[in-house]
Amino acid sequence: MNPKVTLVAAPLVTKGGVFRSTCELVEAARNAGLDWKGVVVTRGDLGATSVPEGVDVHVLDYAGLTGLLKLRSLLGKHERLQSSDAVISLIPQSDVLLATLKRHRKQKLIAYVRGAPWPREGEANHLRRTAWRLIERWALSRMWEVWATTPKLKEELDWPQTHIVPAGIASHAQARVRKSTGSVLVWAARMSPDKNPHLFLEILKQVPVTGLMFGDGELRSELEQAAPSNVTFRGWSDPQLVWEEGTIYIGTSFREAFGRSAVEAATGGMATVLSDAFGAAPMLYTDKQLRDAYVLDPHDTQAWVVAVQNLVRNDSLRADVGNHVRQNAQALSIQGSVAAIVERIDHRGSRAA
């Protein structure tokens, strides 16, 4: 059996992890002979110019209620969505919109939770956080199944019978394996409060090496004004360019359900210093001593400075740490993620039959 599967990510505003994961999952599945497609909807500022076969990108340059209504109409009339055996939603907005649509009786609607499903305290006011949580949990109640990419995200979601379906990255997104020479610190994410980019600047103020910041977002102007002279801003770049010069990856987020950039960096043997909010952190650091040293509280600036200084000053240590995370990252492939999705759909489907 080869069920018709469609992945939905709508709306997206950046060419970030969900966009890239959608493309890579569809590409890997189709290369394996599976009937998968992706539907991505943007608000007009994504700039998606090159996508693999099987991924449809639609632009709806509307915001607010008008944008939601137009988006719902687009999804409701989308021929591929109507005919799919399984529809997998990759972001909370898609969960909610898809949950309001009629679908044929045997269609499996799945929420594949890959990031924070509602704002935390400090990210929105109480009323907005409560409302979004209630709406999203209503949407989850309409799903055939709910999946999460990591145990950390499953715990945060706190939804009964959530299944772990691991994420992964494609081989062409992996950093090249390098010899650990020199010290160039890399930060790569959306420049927003939850990604905690100011910590990267604080580290670079105390550690006099080169720092590269990749990404964009609401805080970019503020960060550029506050940055020390050893930090350069590169914007959104091709994944290969992101890892071309760096030797140490710094992941500072207050919340990071998986941590795609960390996994990409680790596959190339880059030493990584991660916030303990990263869902992928225990997968990359399986040695307790190393985990204690390089998986840190994002509020403890001095612990980060000490960890980075140790890696900068000791080439052998940096290489050892890079080799450790590289070996563990190899298990987090996009092919493995596709296989986990297929296995989950087949397992539940066979039981239902």
Side-chain angles (χ1 to χ4, degrees):
M1 183 178 177
N2 186 1
K4 186 183 293 186
V5 174
T6 302
L7 279 60
V8 180
L12 294 181
V13 295
T14 68
K15 290 180 72 173
V18 173
F19 172 75
R20 288 154 61 194
S21 292
T22 303
C23 293
E24 291 170 5
L25 283 167
V26 170
E27 185 174 35
R30 291 173 70 88
N31 286 341
L34 301 176
D35 186 2
W36 285 30
K37 283 196 173 183
V39 176
V40 174
V41 183
T42 83
R43 291 195 179 120
D45 53 0
L46 180 59
T49 55
S50 177
V51 295
E53 183 180 352
V55 177
D56 298 330
V57 177
H58 304 267
V59 176
L60 280 180
D61 196 8
Y62 293 90
L65 181 59
T66 300
L68 288 175
L69 291 175
K70 288 184 176 291
L71 179 54
R72 184 179 184 278
S73 176
L74 185 155
L75 295 177
K77 297 176 182 178
H78 201 288
E79 183 179 348
R80 173 71 187 197
L81 292 182
Q82 292 177 341
S83 63
S84 293
D85 300 305
V87 175
I88 302 175
S89 170
L90 300 178
I91 60 174
Q93 293 92 328
S94 299
D95 296 347
V96 174
L97 290 169
L98 291 170
T100 68
L101 299 176
K102 291 183 178 179
R103 57 186 184 275
H104 62 78
R105 185 174 59 86
K106 293 186 178 181
Q107 186 177 77
K108 302 171 178 66
L109 183 58
I110 299 160
Y112 193 3
V113 183
R114 307 176 71 83
W118 44 73
R120 280 182 178 171
E121 188 173 353
E123 297 176 354
N125 62 45
H126 177 73
L127 181 60
R128 184 180 178 188
R129 286 188 288 111
T130 301
W132 187 247
R133 186 175 187 274
L134 289 172
I135 293 170
E136 173 64 10
R137 291 180 78 84
W138 169 82
L140 295 180
S141 72
R142 305 271 294 172
M143 299 292 162
W144 181 73
E145 277 203 341
V146 177
W147 302 342
T149 54
T150 66
K152 179 180 283 291
L153 184 54
K154 178 181 178 179
E155 180 181 354
E156 182 178 338
L157 185 61
D158 189 26
W159 186 259
Q161 297 184 332
T162 299
H163 300 277
I164 302 296
V165 179
I169 64 171
S171 58
H172 61 71
Q174 297 173 354
R176 61 182 175 83
V177 177
R178 71 198 67 228
K179 293 181 179 179
S180 189
T181 59
S183 296
V184 177
L185 275 56
V186 171
W187 186 96
R190 185 179 66 255
M191 294 181 178
S192 58
D194 61 305
K195 301 301 183 183
N196 193 23
H198 289 92
L199 175 55
F200 186 73
L201 301 187
E202 290 302 315
I203 295 169
L204 269 296
K205 288 177 182 177
Q206 299 186 52
V207 183
V209 297
T210 298
L212 303 177
M213 295 194 81
F214 292 89
D216 209 337
E218 63 203 82
L219 296 182
R220 179 164 180 174
S221 177
E222 176 186 328
L223 293 167
E224 288 179 331
Q225 293 179 19
S229 59
N230 55 333
V231 174
T232 301
F233 291 77
R234 296 286 180 85
W236 292 113
S237 299
D238 181 272
Q240 288 297 323
L241 298 178
V242 173
W243 313 121
E244 196 169 54
E245 301 173 55
T247 56
I248 302 172
Y249 170 79
I250 308 294
T252 57
S253 300
F254 288 126
R255 61 190 311 181
E256 196 71 61
F258 179 62
R260 178 190 174 92
S261 292
V263 178
E264 288 184 6
T267 58
M270 288 178 66
T272 65
V273 187
L274 302 178
S275 158
D276 57 15
F278 275 69
M283 303 175 188
L284 294 176
Y285 279 103
T286 54
D287 179 279
K288 184 180 185 304
Q289 185 174 355
L290 291 178
R291 185 166 61 247
D292 289 345
Y294 300 109
V295 179
L296 306 173
D297 181 343
H299 297 92
D300 189 352
T301 302
Q302 282 310 117
W304 287 74
V305 170
V306 170
V308 171
Q309 284 177 334
N310 289 339
L311 292 172
V312 166
R313 294 170 179 170
N314 189 327
D315 290 350
S316 177
L317 173 64
R318 190 165 66 248
D320 288 345
V321 171
N323 286 333
H324 176 77
V325 295
R326 180 178 61 81
Q327 290 172 7
N328 289 324
Q330 289 174 348
L332 301 173
S333 70
I334 200 68
Q335 290 82 7
S337 187
V338 169
I341 291 171
V342 171
E343 180 180 3
R344 186 64 219 167
I345 292 174
D346 287 349
H347 174 73
R348 170 71 189 274
S350 62
R351 288 183 61 188

